[in-house]
mmCIF file of all heavy atoms in Angstrom:
data_model
loop_
_atom_site.group_PDB
_atom_site.id
_atom_site.type_symbol
_atom_site.label_atom_id
_atom_site.label_comp_id
_atom_site.label_asym_id
_atom_site.label_seq_id
_atom_site.Cartn_x
_atom_site.Cartn_y
_atom_site.Cartn_z
ATOM 1 N N TRP L 37 3.943 150.168 89.086
ATOM 2 C CA TRP L 37 4.775 149.182 88.403
ATOM 3 C C TRP L 37 5.991 149.888 87.804
ATOM 4 O O TRP L 37 5.871 150.979 87.251
ATOM 5 C CB TRP L 37 4.003 148.504 87.276
ATOM 6 C CG TRP L 37 2.948 147.553 87.743
ATOM 7 C CD1 TRP L 37 1.634 147.833 87.991
ATOM 8 C CD2 TRP L 37 3.113 146.149 88.022
ATOM 9 N NE1 TRP L 37 0.969 146.707 88.413
ATOM 10 C CE2 TRP L 37 1.852 145.648 88.432
ATOM 11 C CE3 TRP L 37 4.204 145.277 87.970
ATOM 12 C CZ2 TRP L 37 1.656 144.319 88.781
ATOM 13 C CZ3 TRP L 37 4.006 143.957 88.308
ATOM 14 C CH2 TRP L 37 2.746 143.483 88.708
ATOM 15 N N TYR L 38 7.149 149.232 87.908
ATOM 16 C CA TYR L 38 8.406 149.785 87.413
ATOM 17 C C TYR L 38 9.086 148.776 86.508
ATOM 18 O O TYR L 38 9.076 147.581 86.784
ATOM 19 C CB TYR L 38 9.329 150.153 88.578
ATOM 20 C CG TYR L 38 8.705 151.168 89.514
ATOM 21 C CD1 TYR L 38 7.925 150.762 90.580
ATOM 22 C CD2 TYR L 38 8.871 152.532 89.293
ATOM 23 C CE1 TYR L 38 7.317 151.683 91.413
ATOM 24 C CE2 TYR L 38 8.273 153.469 90.127
ATOM 25 C CZ TYR L 38 7.491 153.038 91.170
ATOM 26 O OH TYR L 38 6.890 153.962 91.990
ATOM 27 N N GLN L 39 9.704 149.296 85.451
ATOM 28 C CA GLN L 39 10.494 148.500 84.522
ATOM 29 C C GLN L 39 11.960 148.807 84.762
ATOM 30 O O GLN L 39 12.329 149.976 84.884
ATOM 31 C CB GLN L 39 10.117 148.872 83.082
ATOM 32 C CG GLN L 39 10.942 148.198 82.003
ATOM 33 C CD GLN L 39 10.713 148.855 80.648
ATOM 34 O OE1 GLN L 39 11.042 150.014 80.442
ATOM 35 N NE2 GLN L 39 10.119 148.105 79.715
ATOM 36 N N GLN L 40 12.791 147.793 84.817
ATOM 37 C CA GLN L 40 14.220 148.015 85.030
ATOM 38 C C GLN L 40 15.040 147.164 84.072
ATOM 39 O O GLN L 40 15.035 145.940 84.157
ATOM 40 C CB GLN L 40 14.625 147.703 86.470
ATOM 41 C CG GLN L 40 16.085 148.040 86.772
ATOM 42 C CD GLN L 40 16.461 147.763 88.218
ATOM 43 O OE1 GLN L 40 16.003 146.810 88.830
ATOM 44 N NE2 GLN L 40 17.327 148.612 88.776
ATOM 45 N N HIS L 41 15.749 147.826 83.186
ATOM 46 C CA HIS L 41 16.680 147.133 82.311
ATOM 47 C C HIS L 41 17.999 146.942 83.051
ATOM 48 O O HIS L 41 18.332 147.720 83.965
ATOM 49 C CB HIS L 41 16.892 147.918 81.018
ATOM 50 C CG HIS L 41 15.715 147.868 80.091
ATOM 51 N ND1 HIS L 41 14.904 148.958 79.855
ATOM 52 C CD2 HIS L 41 15.206 146.853 79.347
ATOM 53 C CE1 HIS L 41 13.946 148.620 79.003
ATOM 54 N NE2 HIS L 41 14.111 147.346 78.681
ATOM 55 N N PRO L 42 18.783 145.923 82.683
ATOM 56 C CA PRO L 42 20.038 145.622 83.390
ATOM 57 C C PRO L 42 20.961 146.841 83.498
ATOM 58 O O PRO L 42 21.227 147.525 82.501
ATOM 59 C CB PRO L 42 20.671 144.532 82.530
ATOM 60 C CG PRO L 42 19.515 143.860 81.873
ATOM 61 C CD PRO L 42 18.521 144.950 81.609
ATOM 62 N N GLY L 43 21.404 147.113 84.705
ATOM 63 C CA GLY L 43 22.327 148.210 84.942
ATOM 64 C C GLY L 43 21.714 149.593 84.884
ATOM 65 O O GLY L 43 22.440 150.599 84.966
ATOM 66 N N LYS L 44 20.398 149.652 84.762
ATOM 67 C CA LYS L 44 19.718 150.950 84.657
ATOM 68 C C LYS L 44 18.814 151.188 85.858
ATOM 69 O O LYS L 44 18.488 150.271 86.608
ATOM 70 C CB LYS L 44 18.875 151.003 83.374
ATOM 71 C CG LYS L 44 19.683 150.831 82.103
ATOM 72 C CD LYS L 44 20.660 151.970 81.898
ATOM 73 C CE LYS L 44 21.355 151.858 80.556
ATOM 74 N NZ LYS L 44 22.344 152.975 80.358
ATOM 75 N N ALA L 45 18.406 152.448 86.023
ATOM 76 C CA ALA L 45 17.465 152.779 87.080
ATOM 77 C C ALA L 45 16.053 152.343 86.678
ATOM 78 O O ALA L 45 15.731 152.284 85.487
ATOM 79 C CB ALA L 45 17.479 154.281 87.337
ATOM 80 N N PRO L 46 15.225 152.034 87.654
ATOM 81 C CA PRO L 46 13.830 151.709 87.347
ATOM 82 C C PRO L 46 13.105 152.877 86.673
ATOM 83 O O PRO L 46 13.473 154.037 86.861
ATOM 84 C CB PRO L 46 13.224 151.412 88.723
ATOM 85 C CG PRO L 46 14.394 150.993 89.559
ATOM 86 C CD PRO L 46 15.526 151.866 89.079
ATOM 87 N N LYS L 47 12.068 152.532 85.910
ATOM 88 C CA LYS L 47 11.245 153.518 85.223
ATOM 89 C C LYS L 47 9.780 153.252 85.560
ATOM 90 O O LYS L 47 9.333 152.106 85.502
ATOM 91 C CB LYS L 47 11.443 153.413 83.702
ATOM 92 C CG LYS L 47 10.528 154.317 82.892
ATOM 93 C CD LYS L 47 10.658 154.030 81.391
ATOM 94 C CE LYS L 47 9.671 154.867 80.583
ATOM 95 N NZ LYS L 47 9.733 154.549 79.138
ATOM 96 N N LEU L 48 9.077 154.296 85.943
ATOM 97 C CA LEU L 48 7.658 154.172 86.274
ATOM 98 C C LEU L 48 6.853 153.857 85.017
ATOM 99 O O LEU L 48 6.916 154.590 84.029
ATOM 100 C CB LEU L 48 7.149 155.470 86.908
ATOM 101 C CG LEU L 48 5.657 155.523 87.267
ATOM 102 C CD1 LEU L 48 5.347 154.563 88.410
ATOM 103 C CD2 LEU L 48 5.258 156.956 87.652
ATOM 104 N N MET L 49 6.046 152.780 85.088
ATOM 105 C CA MET L 49 5.234 152.374 83.942
ATOM 106 C C MET L 49 3.736 152.548 84.211
ATOM 107 O O MET L 49 2.964 152.869 83.301
ATOM 108 C CB MET L 49 5.513 150.913 83.589
ATOM 109 C CG MET L 49 6.976 150.594 83.327
ATOM 110 S SD MET L 49 7.686 151.602 82.024
ATOM 111 C CE MET L 49 6.969 150.828 80.574
ATOM 112 N N ILE L 50 3.322 152.299 85.455
ATOM 113 C CA ILE L 50 1.913 152.395 85.852
ATOM 114 C C ILE L 50 1.869 152.936 87.276
ATOM 115 O O ILE L 50 2.676 152.541 88.110
ATOM 116 C CB ILE L 50 1.215 151.018 85.815
ATOM 117 C CG1 ILE L 50 1.166 150.453 84.398
ATOM 118 C CG2 ILE L 50 -0.190 151.095 86.429
ATOM 119 C CD1 ILE L 50 0.182 151.144 83.465
ATOM 120 N N TYR L 51 0.921 153.838 87.564
ATOM 121 C CA TYR L 51 0.724 154.294 88.936
ATOM 122 C C TYR L 51 -0.766 154.275 89.266
ATOM 123 O O TYR L 51 -1.612 154.269 88.361
ATOM 124 C CB TYR L 51 1.332 155.683 89.149
ATOM 125 C CG TYR L 51 0.617 156.804 88.401
ATOM 126 C CD1 TYR L 51 -0.360 157.565 89.028
ATOM 127 C CD2 TYR L 51 0.943 157.098 87.075
ATOM 128 C CE1 TYR L 51 -1.011 158.576 88.359
ATOM 129 C CE2 TYR L 51 0.297 158.115 86.393
ATOM 130 C CZ TYR L 51 -0.677 158.857 87.034
ATOM 131 O OH TYR L 51 -1.319 159.875 86.370
ATOM 132 N N ASP L 52 -1.076 154.259 90.550
ATOM 133 C CA ASP L 52 -2.468 154.208 91.011
ATOM 134 C C ASP L 52 -3.245 153.105 90.292
ATOM 135 O O ASP L 52 -4.350 153.320 89.801
ATOM 136 C CB ASP L 52 -3.154 155.564 90.782
ATOM 137 C CG ASP L 52 -2.558 156.676 91.621
ATOM 138 O OD1 ASP L 52 -1.694 156.376 92.467
ATOM 139 O OD2 ASP L 52 -2.942 157.840 91.415
ATOM 140 N N VAL L 53 -2.650 151.925 90.273
ATOM 141 C CA VAL L 53 -3.224 150.683 89.711
ATOM 142 C C VAL L 53 -3.253 150.646 88.188
ATOM 143 O O VAL L 53 -2.814 149.654 87.587
ATOM 144 C CB VAL L 53 -4.658 150.416 90.248
ATOM 145 C CG1 VAL L 53 -5.259 149.175 89.575
ATOM 146 C CG2 VAL L 53 -4.648 150.244 91.754
ATOM 147 N N SER L 54 -3.780 151.691 87.568
ATOM 148 C CA SER L 54 -4.049 151.577 86.126
ATOM 149 C C SER L 54 -3.714 152.823 85.313
ATOM 150 O O SER L 54 -4.055 152.884 84.128
ATOM 151 C CB SER L 54 -5.527 151.230 85.918
ATOM 152 O OG SER L 54 -6.350 152.235 86.473
ATOM 153 N N ASN L 55 -3.077 153.809 85.927
ATOM 154 C CA ASN L 55 -2.751 155.034 85.200
ATOM 155 C C ASN L 55 -1.364 154.958 84.573
ATOM 156 O O ASN L 55 -0.410 154.510 85.210
ATOM 157 C CB ASN L 55 -2.833 156.236 86.132
ATOM 158 C CG ASN L 55 -4.255 156.515 86.575
ATOM 159 O OD1 ASN L 55 -5.145 156.707 85.755
ATOM 160 N ND2 ASN L 55 -4.479 156.511 87.867
ATOM 161 N N ARG L 56 -1.278 155.425 83.359
ATOM 162 C CA ARG L 56 -0.031 155.385 82.607
ATOM 163 C C ARG L 56 0.570 156.785 82.543
ATOM 164 O O ARG L 56 -0.091 157.725 82.106
ATOM 165 C CB ARG L 56 -0.306 154.875 81.188
ATOM 166 C CG ARG L 56 0.789 154.111 80.530
ATOM 167 C CD ARG L 56 0.328 153.460 79.223
ATOM 168 N NE ARG L 56 -0.671 154.203 78.517
ATOM 169 C CZ ARG L 56 -1.929 153.795 78.364
ATOM 170 N NH1 ARG L 56 -2.311 152.651 78.892
ATOM 171 N NH2 ARG L 56 -2.798 154.539 77.695
ATOM 172 N N PRO L 57 1.837 156.947 82.966
ATOM 173 C CA PRO L 57 2.465 158.275 82.856
ATOM 174 C C PRO L 57 2.617 158.687 81.401
ATOM 175 O O PRO L 57 2.668 157.830 80.501
ATOM 176 C CB PRO L 57 3.844 158.070 83.503
ATOM 177 C CG PRO L 57 3.722 156.827 84.309
ATOM 178 C CD PRO L 57 2.728 155.975 83.584
ATOM 179 N N SER L 58 2.730 159.979 81.185
ATOM 180 C CA SER L 58 2.952 160.482 79.838
ATOM 181 C C SER L 58 4.231 159.878 79.273
ATOM 182 O O SER L 58 5.256 159.808 79.951
ATOM 183 C CB SER L 58 3.075 162.012 79.884
ATOM 184 O OG SER L 58 3.423 162.528 78.642
ATOM 185 N N GLY L 59 4.163 159.407 78.034
ATOM 186 C CA GLY L 59 5.347 158.862 77.378
ATOM 187 C C GLY L 59 5.460 157.353 77.445
ATOM 188 O O GLY L 59 6.278 156.764 76.743
ATOM 189 N N VAL L 60 4.670 156.727 78.299
ATOM 190 C CA VAL L 60 4.687 155.253 78.394
ATOM 191 C C VAL L 60 3.730 154.680 77.355
ATOM 192 O O VAL L 60 2.588 155.134 77.228
ATOM 193 C CB VAL L 60 4.304 154.791 79.809
ATOM 194 C CG1 VAL L 60 4.137 153.271 79.847
ATOM 195 C CG2 VAL L 60 5.365 155.225 80.813
ATOM 196 N N SER L 61 4.185 153.677 76.645
ATOM 197 C CA SER L 61 3.390 153.069 75.577
ATOM 198 C C SER L 61 2.057 152.541 76.097
ATOM 199 O O SER L 61 1.972 151.992 77.204
ATOM 200 C CB SER L 61 4.174 151.916 74.947
ATOM 201 O OG SER L 61 3.360 151.179 74.055
ATOM 202 N N ASN L 62 1.012 152.694 75.282
ATOM 203 C CA ASN L 62 -0.297 152.178 75.667
ATOM 204 C C ASN L 62 -0.359 150.658 75.561
ATOM 205 O O ASN L 62 -1.412 150.056 75.790
ATOM 206 C CB ASN L 62 -1.412 152.833 74.857
ATOM 207 C CG ASN L 62 -1.249 152.611 73.362
ATOM 208 O OD1 ASN L 62 -0.413 151.813 72.915
ATOM 209 N ND2 ASN L 62 -2.044 153.306 72.564
ATOM 210 N N ARG L 63 0.745 150.027 75.218
ATOM 211 C CA ARG L 63 0.806 148.562 75.263
ATOM 212 C C ARG L 63 0.882 148.067 76.721
ATOM 213 O O ARG L 63 0.668 146.888 76.977
ATOM 214 C CB ARG L 63 2.024 148.040 74.493
ATOM 215 C CG ARG L 63 2.021 148.380 73.009
ATOM 216 C CD ARG L 63 3.172 147.718 72.281
ATOM 217 N NE ARG L 63 4.485 148.166 72.754
ATOM 218 C CZ ARG L 63 5.294 147.438 73.526
ATOM 219 N NH1 ARG L 63 4.932 146.222 73.922
ATOM 220 N NH2 ARG L 63 6.477 147.931 73.893
ATOM 221 N N PHE L 64 1.183 148.983 77.621
ATOM 222 C CA PHE L 64 1.278 148.645 79.042
ATOM 223 C C PHE L 64 -0.026 149.061 79.737
ATOM 224 O O PHE L 64 -0.478 150.197 79.584
ATOM 225 C CB PHE L 64 2.458 149.364 79.699
ATOM 226 C CG PHE L 64 3.793 148.867 79.238
ATOM 227 C CD1 PHE L 64 4.346 149.326 78.053
ATOM 228 C CD2 PHE L 64 4.498 147.928 79.979
ATOM 229 C CE1 PHE L 64 5.582 148.857 77.609
ATOM 230 C CE2 PHE L 64 5.722 147.455 79.559
ATOM 231 C CZ PHE L 64 6.271 147.920 78.367
ATOM 232 N N SER L 65 -0.607 148.118 80.494
ATOM 233 C CA SER L 65 -1.826 148.432 81.229
ATOM 234 C C SER L 65 -1.805 147.741 82.576
ATOM 235 O O SER L 65 -1.156 146.706 82.754
ATOM 236 C CB SER L 65 -3.060 148.029 80.433
ATOM 237 O OG SER L 65 -3.072 146.634 80.217
ATOM 238 N N GLY L 66 -2.522 148.343 83.536
ATOM 239 C CA GLY L 66 -2.569 147.783 84.874
ATOM 240 C C GLY L 66 -3.996 147.601 85.347
ATOM 241 O O GLY L 66 -4.906 148.311 84.909
ATOM 242 N N SER L 67 -4.178 146.634 86.250
ATOM 243 C CA SER L 67 -5.498 146.377 86.804
ATOM 244 C C SER L 67 -5.341 145.752 88.180
ATOM 245 O O SER L 67 -4.228 145.442 88.620
ATOM 246 C CB SER L 67 -6.297 145.442 85.881
ATOM 247 O OG SER L 67 -5.635 144.187 85.775
ATOM 248 N N LYS L 68 -6.479 145.601 88.872
ATOM 249 C CA LYS L 68 -6.446 144.987 90.194
ATOM 250 C C LYS L 68 -7.745 144.237 90.430
ATOM 251 O O LYS L 68 -8.827 144.702 90.061
ATOM 252 C CB LYS L 68 -6.270 146.060 91.275
ATOM 253 C CG LYS L 68 -6.024 145.510 92.668
ATOM 254 C CD LYS L 68 -5.887 146.618 93.705
ATOM 255 C CE LYS L 68 -7.240 147.144 94.150
ATOM 256 N NZ LYS L 68 -7.132 148.016 95.360
ATOM 257 N N SER L 69 -7.618 143.071 91.054
ATOM 258 C CA SER L 69 -8.779 142.298 91.469
ATOM 259 C C SER L 69 -8.505 141.767 92.866
ATOM 260 O O SER L 69 -7.578 140.967 93.056
ATOM 261 C CB SER L 69 -9.050 141.136 90.502
ATOM 262 O OG SER L 69 -10.145 140.368 90.958
ATOM 263 N N GLY L 70 -9.270 142.232 93.822
ATOM 264 C CA GLY L 70 -9.020 141.832 95.197
ATOM 265 C C GLY L 70 -7.637 142.272 95.646
ATOM 266 O O GLY L 70 -7.289 143.444 95.549
#
Side-chain angles (χ1 to χ4, degrees):
Chain L
W37 288 91
Y38 301 89
Q39 175 193 65
Q40 185 178 36
H41 287 109
K44 300 295 186 181
K47 175 187 176 183
L48 178 68
M49 305 303 285
I50 296 287
Y51 68 95
D52 295 354
V53 176
S54 60
N55 292 304
R56 211 171 32 248
S58 174
V60 172
S61 171
N62 59 10
R63 298 186 297 105
F64 291 82
S65 62
S67 62
K68 188 181 81 168
S69 177

